[in-house]
Structure formats: C-alpha cells, structure tokens
Amino acid sequence: MQAELRQQRVELFAEVMLAIRRSLQLKEILHTTVTEVQRFLQADRVLIYHVLPNGTGKVISESVLPDYPALIHLGFPEEVFPTDYQQLYSQGRVRAIADVHDPAAGLPECLVEFVEQFNIKAKLIVPIVQTLKVQSNGQFQLPPQSPNHLWGLLIVHQCRSPRHWVEFELELIQQLAAQISIALSQAQLLEHLEEIVEARTAELQEANHNLQQEINVRMQAEAALRQSEEQLRLITNALPVLIAYVDNQQEYRFNNQAYEEWLGKSPRTLYGQHLQQVWGVECYQRMQAQVEAALSGQGVTYENDIVLKDGSVRSVDATYIPHRDADKTVKGFFCLISDISDRKAIERRKDEFISVISHELRTPLTSLHSALKILATGRLGTLSSEGQQMLGIADDSTDRLVRLVNNVLDLQRIESGKVVLDRQACNAANLMIQAAEAMQAMAQQQGVALVTQAADIVIWADIDYILQTLTNLLSNAIKFSAAGGSVWLTVEQEDPSTLNPQQSNSEAVFRVRDEGQGIPADQLERIFERFQQVDSSDSHKKGGTGLGLAICRKIVEQHNGRIWAESVPGCGSTFAFTLPAFYQDH
Ligand code: ADP
C-alpha cells in the first residue's frame, strides 16, 4: 500500500515537473510551481519568496486556500529572516517544522509570533539555489558571490493543523527546487536572448532607417544631378557650335548634339573616343600642337579646316580652355568650335574685290602719273607758278595713291597664300647694306644719319621680301625722326632658348632703332594691323598708308619669324624681327 502510494506520488511529481518545464516565462513557472505543489502536497499555502542581492526580498508567487490570509508581496522582516539564515539556506539547508509551537522545533520567539499572524502551524522551507547564472553575452556562469547563490525559498505552510513532513516529500520538494533553479536559468537565458534580439532589432531598425535616409539623400542628389545635366545638355544642344570636354588622355568625355549634326557622331558613340579616331589622322595633325598646348595648361584659339559628314569642308575657329583641379593639375580641356566659313567667304570676296579694284586703278593711275610727270617737264607748255604748285600737289597725291594700291595688292597677295617664297641662304650684312643704300637719299633729305652695323650671319630668306621689310622699317624710322637724329640698323645671332624656349634652331634678330617721337605702349601691338596709325593725321603729314607694318608682319610670319616693337615715347622706338639662321638641312 505504501509502495503504491509512493508510485502515485512519483507519477504526480513527474506531472508537476512537466508542467513547470513546459513554460519558459518566469512568472508562469513560479505560478505553476506553487499551484502544482499545493495540489501535490495538499498543503494550505505554498509560496515563493525571492531573495534580492541586498538580502531583502518578498513573496512573488503564492497559492493559498481561501480560508487563510494571502502573503503575496509580503517582505520578511530582518529579525525573522536574518543574514545567517540566508547563508545556511544558500548551503542547501532544508527546514521541515512539523509544529511551530513545539519547543523542539527551536523557533525563536519573534518568528513564532510572525507565523502565528498567518495561522501557520507547520512549515517546510526548501532553498532555490542557483548554481548557474546567465552572463550578459548569453553564456552561463557561476554566480560571483558564492558558488551557490540563494535565489529564493520554496515555502509550504500547513495552517489547519501541525503536519509531519515525510522524508519522501522532502526529497521530492528538494528535487523540485533544483528543477526550478534550472528552469529559472533557462527563463533568464530566454529573457536575456529576448533582450538581445530586441536590442539587435532596434539596432537593425536604426541602421535600416539610416540606410533609407542615405538612399533618399542619394536619390535626391542624383535627381538634382540629372536635372542639371539635362539643363546643361539642353543649353549646349541648342547652340550651333561644337561644345566638348576632352580629358588628359585626349578622349571625349562630353559632346553636344552639334557633333551628331556636323560629323554624324552621337555623343554616346563619341564618349571615350580619342581625338584622332574622331577627326582622322590628317585633321588631327593640324590640331595636335594646340591640343598639347591646352593640356600643358595654355588657353589656345586657332583656325582649322574640318570635313563634315556630307564631305563639305568648313573653316572653323577652335578655342581650348584648360581644366585644372584643386591641385592645379590639368585634367583636360573645354573645347568650343564655331563655323567661320561664311565670314571667311566674305573676307575672301572682299579681298578679291580689293584686288580687282586695285588692279583696275593701277592702269589709269600709271597713265595719270606719267601724264603729270610729262606736264612737269614743261615740254607741253610753261605753267604759271600756281599751276606748277597744283601740279606738285597732284603729283604727290598720285604718288601716294600708287603706293597705296601697290601696298594693298602686296598685302592681299601675301595673305591669300599665293606668294611662294623663294628662300635661299643669304648674308644678312649684304641685305642690310642694300636696304640702307636704298634709303640713303631719303635719310639725307630728312637730315637723319643712317648707321648700319652689319654682321655676317647666313640667313634662310627670300631676299626681295626681306629687303622690302627692312626698307619699310627704315623708311618709318626716318619718317618719324627729327632732323639731326640717327637711325641704327643692326643684326645679331641670338640664342633661341632665351627668346623662345620652344625654338631649337638659332636665329638672326634684325633691329631698326630711332630717336624719334616713339609709340605709346597701348599702340605697340595695334600698329601691326591694317590701316592702324598712332595719329590718323600721319598719313597726310608723313605720306603713309597704314599698311607697311601689316605687310612686314605677314612677310616675317611667312618666314616663321616674329616681329615686334619696343618704345619709350619721346625717346624713340625699336622695331625688331627674327629670321631663322641658315643650317645645312635647309
Ligand atoms: P604708315 O604707312 O602709316 O607708316 P605703317 O604700317 O608702316 O604705316 O605704320 C603704322 C603706324 O605706326 C604709323 O602710322 C605710325 O603711327 C606708327 N609707326 C611706325 N613706325 C614708327 C616709328 N619708327 N616711330 C613712331 N611711330 C611709328
């Protein structure tokens, strides 16, 4: 009979254990424990007293028959639950008191009073000791205070009468306390895992939120970029010029629509293509020097001829503007090409017109000039002194007109490219002497001393054209000198690298210096353009045409030389030009 009862109780106990283990929530575990233990032991009250780390505590779960007062949330006073009790319990002490009033039970007076308040006649106290604790990283660890940490007490009360606690019951309750301890650890672990999951979820949500914000910002930036790109394309596509950006590998990175219209190449096909691929070898050779100059950081503007998709040749004006980054490194250049074919055609027609007119003028002018000369001889009758005077004026004017027509024709011929220079090796000294001799009479007439400092430098030049240049400059120098002044004609061989670092061959520098009125600094460039004179009355006073320096410049440039003027107003001017010196390869 005893054995059968025992068996029944073991089975009941197994059920209690199962019920406890089924739950992972701490509150639920405790609730199941008190209810099941009360049912199992048929006790009047079962409670769980939780001990906090500071030694205080309170009842956190209770199952009590309705006839008896509830102790839930009650904290035990210090005197009924002193620290030394706690230590004993943490070492596993189990207290089974059959009758609280029995002196053999050895309960102190205060405790007897305390239990009497709640009708307690017998009690059983089993410690719930936690041997394992969950760490913040989710791992189990032994509690730090002592190997056995007193988490709480499982307390059973009998109120209606004293009760003798059977050894078997004690054993089972102790086992139950051990199971509760494990269940507690698991519940704590679960709670901890939930906390971690919650924290991680919050972190992920935060990261997700930030990512979303970043995506939004990027999308906004991309949309703004697309819009500004569209606007840029709209503007550049509306312009009837070629607009591009070329990188420092000479590859296209941006083109406007005009490239498609002119060359039949869309911006998409041009992207990443090299200049030579796009323009062909011949055209690329004509632009290479300028491209290299732009990529070395120099802004350039030049004229070129290009072939369009329909095969027509157009004259264009190209401007390259270097693009530098913050460190001043050239990353590429902006390129602007405009069609100047119409302007060129007008210029050509104008030149042709001038040429035809000048030719037509020349024949009657020559006859006029000859007729005036004959009249001046007096062979056709003697003129009054007023008539002679008028004849002199007419002769001077015709002279000027002949010079003007000749100059216009000269300039037009050189500019049209029709002139083929007959270049040969010649001694600079000979040219200088010839030019000085030609101007000697004029110098004498003006009372100006002409000083020639010739040097034997062999140059590579067209003799007639260089003589024309020298005489033009000498005539100006004499014209603009006061009587008694001097004009110097000199030549020197220069170290080209000091004048122009890009020039590798040596050159001769001719200089015509005078002590005349001089030229203001802002006019020094301008006077080399057609019909530009410092003082517009010069043409009348000095008999000039305003074309002499323009002709000189064209001649010198045709020889690959340079011409310029230096002056100190009131002290005189120096006109200088360079010509390549002769070397064997010529
Ligand atoms: P022009 O036939 O008028 O001399 P140029 O083209 O030879 O035409 O010269 C243009 C202008 O440059 C002159 O009208 C004059 O104003 C100025 N000029 C040229 N040479 C000198 C000089 N040696 N001294 C001062 N002014 C000069």
Side-chain angles (χ1 to χ4, degrees):
M1 185 60 195
Q2 194 66 24
E4 202 177 309
L5 192 69
R6 201 183 160 96
Q7 181 56 34
Q8 271 177 10
R9 289 197 146 196
V10 167
E11 278 166 19
L12 196 59
F13 179 75
E15 271 175 38
V16 173
M17 293 298 279
L18 200 69
I20 291 172
R21 284 201 172 170
R22 217 172 267 144
S23 172
L24 279 170
Q25 294 296 319
L26 186 61
K27 225 171 150 185
E28 214 178 304
I29 292 171
L30 301 178
H31 178 71
T32 315
T33 307
V34 291
T35 335
E36 292 297 321
V37 171
Q38 195 209 1
R39 190 167 62 89
F40 166 67
L41 289 181
Q42 291 175 347
D44 297 332
R45 182 189 289 118
V46 178
L47 57 90
I48 287 177
Y49 186 79
H50 180 40
V51 180
L52 296 170
N54 64 3
T56 64
K58 65 175 177 181
V59 178
I60 57 169
S61 197
E62 182 185 31
S63 179
V64 59
L65 290 181
D67 308 341
Y68 305 104
L71 304 188
I72 188 81
H73 306 314
L74 179 81
F76 296 165
E78 238 261 72
E79 59 273 20
V80 300
F81 190 48
T83 329
D84 46 345
Y85 273 32
Q86 292 182 23
Q87 266 171 8
L88 287 172
Y89 283 126
S90 68
Q91 283 155 15
R93 174 174 91 151
V94 174
R95 282 210 85 183
I97 298 165
D99 183 356
V100 293
H101 296 290
D102 183 354
L107 285 190
E109 195 61 30
C110 62
L111 193 52
V112 175
E113 273 173 32
F114 179 73
V115 297
E116 269 178 356
Q117 280 177 45
F118 307 108
N119 292 353
I120 301 164
K121 302 275 173 14
K123 62 177 185 172
L124 172 62
I125 302 166
V126 181
I128 302 169
V129 176
Q130 243 191 317
T131 45
L132 293 172
K133 194 176 187 311
V134 181
Q135 265 184 315
S136 59
N137 59 9
Q139 308 219 320
F140 287 104
Q141 186 209 30
L142 283 173
Q145 303 92 325
S146 64
N148 294 331
H149 165 64
L150 180 66
W151 181 87
L153 303 168
L154 175 62
I155 304 173
V156 184
H157 288 160
Q158 201 64 22
C159 300
R160 68 193 96 120
S161 59
R163 172 169 178 168
H164 175 71
W165 305 99
V166 190
E167 188 63 26
F168 169 64
E169 286 171 341
L170 289 180
E171 247 173 51
L172 287 184
I173 295 296
Q174 264 179 292
Q175 277 182 35
L176 192 67
Q179 288 301 318
I180 293 171
S181 166
I182 294 170
L184 276 175
S185 297
Q186 281 176 345
Q188 280 175 348
L189 175 65
L190 182 74
E191 250 173 39
H192 186 73
L193 283 178
E194 276 169 358
E195 270 168 30
I196 290 176
V197 169
E198 216 169 286
R200 291 275 148 85
T201 311
E203 272 170 28
L204 280 177
Q205 274 172 346
E206 168 89 16
N208 201 20
H209 177 73
N210 291 345
L211 201 68
Q212 194 57 46
Q213 267 185 337
E214 210 173 297
I215 289 171
N216 287 348
V217 169
R218 284 216 185 145
M219 272 165 62
Q220 274 170 4
E222 270 171 25
L225 195 69
R226 254 200 313 279
Q227 200 186 356
S228 83
E229 242 185 57
E230 268 165 30
Q231 268 172 354
L232 184 70
R233 284 218 171 270
L234 199 72
I235 297 166
T236 55
N237 286 347
L239 297 174
V241 287
L242 297 183
I243 298 172
Y245 178 78
V246 177
D247 69 13
N248 52 12
Q249 300 301 307
Q250 302 192 18
E251 286 172 358
Y252 280 103
R253 293 291 152 205
F254 177 88
N255 303 84
N256 68 342
Q257 196 60 35
Y259 273 83
E260 179 141 34
E261 286 148 23
W262 292 24
L263 308 179
K265 295 180 181 180
S266 73
R268 221 169 335 111
T269 49
L270 280 179
Y271 187 86
Q273 279 204 18
H274 193 274
L275 283 170
Q276 187 169 322
Q277 261 176 300
V278 175
W279 295 101
V281 178
E282 220 175 282
C283 186
Y284 176 69
Q285 275 170 356
R286 290 199 298 273
M287 63 170 74
Q288 196 173 1
Q290 283 80 5
V291 168
E292 280 160 11
L295 289 178
S296 72
Q298 214 184 306
V300 279
T301 297
Y302 68 103
E303 287 178 11
N304 198 356
D305 286 337
I306 62 167
V307 182
L308 300 194
K309 64 177 175 188
D310 60 4
S312 63
V313 178
R314 309 294 290 177
S315 297
V316 293
D317 182 281
T319 300
Y320 299 159
I321 301 156
H323 166 226
R324 289 190 171 87
D325 64 7
D327 314 334
K328 302 272 176 243
T329 316
V330 180
K331 308 297 281 177
F333 61 89
F334 302 98
C335 165
L336 189 78
I337 296 176
S338 47
D339 189 344
I340 54 163
S341 305
D342 294 346
R343 196 185 83 201
K344 282 275 170 191
I346 292 169
E347 268 175 22
R348 259 196 310 278
R349 275 205 291 278
K350 185 193 74 192
D351 288 345
E352 275 164 25
F353 173 75
I354 293 172
S355 160
V356 170
I357 293 286
S358 307
H359 271 294
E360 293 303 313
L361 279 176
R362 196 142 64 166
T363 323
L365 257 180
T366 319
S367 324
L368 199 64
H369 204 204
S370 319
L372 288 173
K373 292 271 183 248
I374 293 168
L375 276 180
T377 57
R379 270 188 277 149
L380 303 177
T382 329
L383 284 171
S384 66
S385 69
E386 272 149 6
Q388 282 285 351
Q389 218 180 331
M390 293 303 285
L391 193 64
I393 294 170
D395 192 32
D396 276 354
S397 299
T398 334
D399 260 352
R400 263 185 58 210
L401 217 54
V402 170
R403 270 203 310 278
L404 180 64
V405 168
N406 285 339
N407 280 345
V408 167
L409 284 173
D410 271 354
L411 191 60
Q412 203 275 328
R413 247 201 347 267
I414 300 170
E415 277 185 344
S416 68
K418 282 186 195 140
V419 168
V420 181
L421 293 181
D422 177 16
R423 295 174 85 168
Q424 49 188 284
C426 47
N427 192 338
N430 291 344
L431 289 179
M432 292 163 81
I433 290 161
Q434 273 186 59
E437 273 172 3
M439 300 314 296
Q440 200 56 53
M442 183 184 173
Q444 262 169 8
Q445 211 181 343
Q446 296 275 320
V448 173
L450 188 52
V451 187
T452 308
Q453 291 165 351
D456 288 322
I457 300 169
V458 184
I459 54 166
W460 180 246
D462 182 310
I463 294 173
D464 289 340
Y465 277 113
I466 296 308
L467 273 177
Q468 188 178 350
T469 307
L470 285 172
T471 51
N472 260 347
L473 295 180
L474 284 172
S475 113
N476 277 350
I478 296 166
K479 232 167 34 177
F480 292 100
S481 291
S486 299
V487 167
W488 289 267
L489 172 60
T490 62
V491 72
E492 270 176 295
Q493 184 136 11
E494 290 273 354
D495 173 6
S497 57
T498 59
L499 285 171
N500 181 359
Q502 274 159 26
Q503 191 90 30
S504 54
N505 299 315
S506 84
E507 51 189 13
V509 185
F510 291 87
R511 284 190 177 83
V512 176
R513 181 161 69 86
D514 64 55
E515 301 170 314
Q517 63 193 58
I519 303 158
D522 62 341
Q523 303 274 339
L524 288 171
E525 280 281 332
R526 214 172 61 91
I527 50 171
F528 288 95
E529 282 163 27
R530 298 184 215 182
F531 303 112
Q532 295 299 331
Q533 295 175 314
V534 173
D535 180 347
S536 55
S537 62
D538 279 354
S539 59
H540 297 285
K541 284 193 280 184
K542 313 278 183 183
T545 61
L547 288 172
L549 288 178
I551 293 173
C552 291
R553 184 167 72 176
K554 286 287 163 198
I555 293 173
V556 171
E557 282 175 358
Q558 290 265 314
H559 281 82
N560 299 327
R562 288 164 293 115
I563 185 164
W564 68 96
E566 293 159 5
S567 177
V568 179
C571 296
S573 319
T574 301
F575 283 79
F577 67 92
T578 64
L579 286 179
F582 173 75
Y583 58 95
Q584 220 51 52
D585 282 359
H586 281 133

